[in-house]
Amino acid sequence: MITNHGFVGVHVGAGQHSFEKTNDYKLVCKLATEEAINAVSKGKTATEALVNAMNILENSPHTNAGYGSNLTEDGTVECDAGIMDGETLLFGAVGAVSGLFVSTHTSKRFNI
């Protein structure tokens, strides 16, 4: 008997969120977790699964991440992201980056 263990948890970002958009938030979180689960079931690493899930979240207008980020006082977007490989313990991060809407991919590049 094969037993699978694991957990995928995501959120729509920090800050205030509209109660009226709760179903949108739940849907994008469901899509992101399903993407991660599918990636792992196809043999991808947990880190690859995370990047796939974050790609869904960062490309959604419903999250405070990437494309849907809250604006700064100057009306620009600044993104932060960090990623760590649990097997190698390597970590990569970016902070307060402007002009970049998919910051998880960039932080992974620093995870050498």
Side-chain angles (χ1 to χ4, degrees):
M1 179 174 154
I2 297 175
T3 304
N4 295 315
H5 299 281
F7 176 81
V8 176
V10 298
H11 61 88
V12 294
Q16 300 291 322
H17 300 288
S18 169
F19 179 76
E20 288 80 20
K21 294 183 179 181
T22 298
N23 289 335
D24 295 327
Y25 304 145
K26 287 180 180 181
L27 177 60
V28 73
C29 286
K30 179 181 179 192
L31 293 172
T33 55
E34 287 175 346
E35 178 63 32
I37 291 166
N38 289 336
V40 170
S41 70
K42 293 177 181 174
K44 300 289 185 182
T45 66
T47 302
E48 291 169 319
L50 166 71
V51 171
N52 289 356
M54 286 306 302
N55 189 47
I56 302 262
L57 296 171
E58 290 181 333
N59 281 294
S60 172
H62 303 297
T63 63
N64 184 14
Y67 177 75
S69 292
N70 292 335
L71 300 179
T72 66
E73 290 179 357
D74 296 328
T76 62
V77 171
E78 290 182 353
C79 294
D80 304 322
I83 188 169
M84 181 176 184
D85 186 315
E87 291 186 31
T88 64
L89 302 182
L90 293 173
F91 178 80
V94 295
V97 178
S98 294
L100 180 66
F101 294 108
V102 187
S103 54
T104 300
H105 287 285
T106 303
S107 67
K108 179 155 182 354
R109 294 185 70 138
F110 291 104
N111 181 339
I112 301 170

